[in-house]
């Protein structure tokens, strides 16, 4: 950090178009660092040069193959904009995304926000035609009133999902030494998020489960899968070949407020039993999707002797093409033997869940934000 002021002056003399300061050692370290940060921020402000950071990872835009960060990898192109106060979290997410085939339209680590703020990047993501869902990790939100105004307008068109750090007393102390942010009261933040239509989650896993679900089923360019309408007005059906999974799905749907539909001549969940082959699954799925009272189907598969995960995946993909207005959420329990089916579903842009709770959370999100 001790070299940054001199280099900043050189950047101003060179009339740089913009500047990213990845160095730490500023406001997050105490008063001396805070003074230095203010001096540098003022310098760039006077020269009308946009500043990102300091204490950040940088900016990545896979769409134009830009990696202006110190991340060792670049994620694949996608439709999620990830705005994070933490740089290390972005690094880990990139590594995870390369494994899970998760793509991004934009990644910004904004650090201490001495120059550009989260609100500025929200506007950029909103105006980006490649971005369908905006994901945020934040420890503090500066200018909260403006955030609510901006987010309220964005969420009418694009979902915003947020994970708020520093919600406990201990977490607040950790935040102060991380990015010099004041974490604020968790209840106040949660109320503001709800008012703005922002989806708040509690874990990093849910942050990306939610974003990928909304990308898969809310996008305007579903291609061969058609386009899903906004707003699901009726209930969900659960189709399963295992009674225990069906019971667990009902429990999680109840906890997360997912309404179950009345199925003609059948119980919901509809258990087609452990000897169900792919033909039986196909017949049952078609029967459910034809019913007006059903807005979507949670397709549960356990591994039995007659189970064919790859063929079941093909059945789901074809059914989704025939009924693009009714989302089908696959829940494939298992590991090695289900992998080919899971991979095929992901390649088709449908995704696949391995936990009943995750499938119920996806259904809940689609009910509220599709």
């Amino acid at each position: 950090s001790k070299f940054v002021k001199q280099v900043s002056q050189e950047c101003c003399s060179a009339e740089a178009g913009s500047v990213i300061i990845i160095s730490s050692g500023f406001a997050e370290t105490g008063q001396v660092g805070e003074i230095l940060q203010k001096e540098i921020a003022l310098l760039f402000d006077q020269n009308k040069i946009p500043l990102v950071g300091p204490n950040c990872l940088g900016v990545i835009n896979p769409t134009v193959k830009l990696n202006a960060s110190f991340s060792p990898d670049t994620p694949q192109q996608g439709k999620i904009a990830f705005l994070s106060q933490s740089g290390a979290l972005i690094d880990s997410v990139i590594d995870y995304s390369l494994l899970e085939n998760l793509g991004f339209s934009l990644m910004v680590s904004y650090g201490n926000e001495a120059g550009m703020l989260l609100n500025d990047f929200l506007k950029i993501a909103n105006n980006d035609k490649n971005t369908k869902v905006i994901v945020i990790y934040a420890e503090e939100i500066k200018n909260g009133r403006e955030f609510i105004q901006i987010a309220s307008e964005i969420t009418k068109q694009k979902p915003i999902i947020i994970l708020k750090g520093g919600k406990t007393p201990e977490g607040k102390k950790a935040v102060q030494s991380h990015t010099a942010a004041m974490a604020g009261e968790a209840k106040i933040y949660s109320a503001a998020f709800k008012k703005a239509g922002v989806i708040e989650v509690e874990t990093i896993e849910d942050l990306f489960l939610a974003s990928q679900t909304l990308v898969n089923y809310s996008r305007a360019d579903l291609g061969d899968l058609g386009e899903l309408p906004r707003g699901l007005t009726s209930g969900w059906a659960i189709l399963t070949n295992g009674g225990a999974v069906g019971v667990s799905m009902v429990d999680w749907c109840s906890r997360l407020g997912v309404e179950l539909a009345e199925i003609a001549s059948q119980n919901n969940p509809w258990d087609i039993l452990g000897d169900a082959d792919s033909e039986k699954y196909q017949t049952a799925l078609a029967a459910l999707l034809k019913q007006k009272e059903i807005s979507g189907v949670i397709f549960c598969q356990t591994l039995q002797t007659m189970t064919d995960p790859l063929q079941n995946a093909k059945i789901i993909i074809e059914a989704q093409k025939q009924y693009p207005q009714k989302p089908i959420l696959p829940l494939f329990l298992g590991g090695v033997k289900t992998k080919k089916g899971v991979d095929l579903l992901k390649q088709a842009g449908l995704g696949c869940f391995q936990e009943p709770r995750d499938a119920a959370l996806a259904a809940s999100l689609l009910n509220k934000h599709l």
Side-chain angles (χ1 to χ4, degrees):
S1 58
K2 65 182 180 180
F3 300 108
V4 172
K5 187 173 181 179
Q6 174 61 38
V7 177
S8 297
Q9 291 169 341
E10 293 171 6
C11 288
C12 292
S13 298
E15 299 181 349
S18 58
V19 170
I20 300 171
I21 300 178
I22 63 176
S23 307
S24 58
F26 292 92
E28 80 280 2
T29 62
Q31 187 175 9
V32 175
E34 184 175 3
I35 293 171
L36 178 60
Q37 178 174 304
K38 287 180 178 179
E39 290 175 353
I40 291 169
L42 179 61
L43 180 66
F44 286 119
D45 184 54
Q46 290 173 338
N47 285 272
K48 295 182 171 52
I49 297 175
L51 167 65
V52 181
N55 187 28
C56 71
L57 184 75
V59 176
I60 301 173
N61 187 332
T63 306
V64 295
K65 304 189 187 308
L66 170 70
N67 188 337
S69 78
F70 66 93
S71 172
D73 296 302
T74 301
Q76 67 182 22
Q77 183 179 341
K79 301 178 185 297
I80 300 170
F82 183 27
L83 313 177
S84 175
Q85 206 153 6
S86 166
L89 181 58
I90 287 185
D91 262 337
S92 298
V93 166
I94 290 173
D95 193 48
Y96 169 80
S97 74
L98 296 173
L99 182 66
E100 292 295 321
N101 202 32
L102 186 64
F104 293 89
S105 54
L106 178 67
M107 301 187 99
V108 178
S109 162
Y110 53 87
N112 291 5
E113 295 181 280
M116 296 184 72
L117 305 178
L118 169 61
N119 291 343
D120 298 316
F121 294 113
L122 266 179
K123 294 175 185 177
I124 291 170
N126 185 44
N127 293 329
D128 177 25
K129 64 180 181 180
N130 297 304
T131 296
K132 303 300 180 185
V133 176
I134 301 170
V135 176
I136 301 170
Y137 170 77
E139 294 166 356
E140 175 196 27
I141 295 178
K142 296 180 180 178
N143 199 340
R145 289 183 184 276
E146 184 187 31
F147 173 84
I148 293 173
Q149 292 173 351
I150 295 170
S152 296
E153 288 302 313
I154 293 174
T155 53
K156 294 175 184 177
Q157 302 296 327
K158 298 180 180 182
I160 299 176
I161 307 165
I162 192 164
L163 174 62
K164 172 69 173 64
K167 296 177 72 172
T168 65
E170 293 78 10
K172 291 176 187 177
K173 293 178 182 177
V175 161
Q176 186 63 24
S177 62
H178 180 211
T179 56
M182 297 300 293
E185 292 296 329
K187 291 182 179 179
I188 295 174
Y189 272 104
S190 293
F193 297 150
K194 187 174 182 180
K195 181 178 180 180
V198 174
I199 306 164
E200 186 178 12
V201 296
E202 299 296 326
T203 69
I204 295 170
E205 181 181 7
D206 284 355
L207 194 69
F208 291 100
L209 183 150
S211 62
Q212 192 62 52
T213 296
L214 292 174
V215 164
N216 288 343
Y217 294 96
S218 297
R219 55 189 174 169
D221 54 342
L222 281 168
D224 291 340
L225 296 179
E227 182 175 348
L228 295 169
R230 294 185 68 83
L232 300 178
T233 56
S234 49
W236 288 77
I238 299 171
L239 178 63
T240 181
N241 68 342
V245 178
V247 171
S248 182
M249 276 305 322
V250 171
D251 284 341
W252 276 111
C253 284
S254 177
R255 291 186 187 112
L256 296 174
V258 177
E259 182 182 349
L260 299 182
E262 292 288 333
I263 300 177
S265 305
Q266 297 291 342
N267 293 323
N268 192 5
W270 182 3
D271 185 359
I272 56 176
L273 305 179
D275 64 349
D277 57 14
S278 294
E279 184 178 354
K280 192 170 183 180
Y281 258 122
Q282 186 174 28
T283 302
L285 181 59
L288 291 173
L289 292 171
K290 289 177 183 176
Q291 298 181 37
K292 293 181 179 180
E293 295 77 15
I294 295 173
S295 61
V297 177
I298 302 174
F299 186 109
C300 305
Q301 173 197 272
T302 62
L303 273 177
Q304 310 289 345
T305 302
M306 301 292 287
T307 308
D308 186 341
L310 184 60
Q311 184 59 32
N312 287 345
K314 293 177 180 178
I315 288 168
I316 292 170
I317 294 167
E318 288 304 312
Q320 190 69 91
K321 290 178 182 178
Q322 293 176 22
Y323 294 88
Q325 75 280 12
K326 295 188 176 186
I328 305 169
L329 302 180
L331 171 67
F332 280 23
L333 299 183
V336 174
K337 292 183 179 180
T338 64
K339 189 176 186 306
K340 288 184 179 179
V342 171
D343 289 346
L344 184 62
L345 287 165
K346 290 182 177 180
Q347 289 168 14
L350 291 178
C352 189
F353 305 96
Q354 277 79 48
E355 288 285 345
R357 177 254 179 202
D358 293 350
L361 176 60
S364 173
L365 287 166
L366 294 178
N367 278 350
K368 297 174 183 175
H369 303 282
L370 189 60

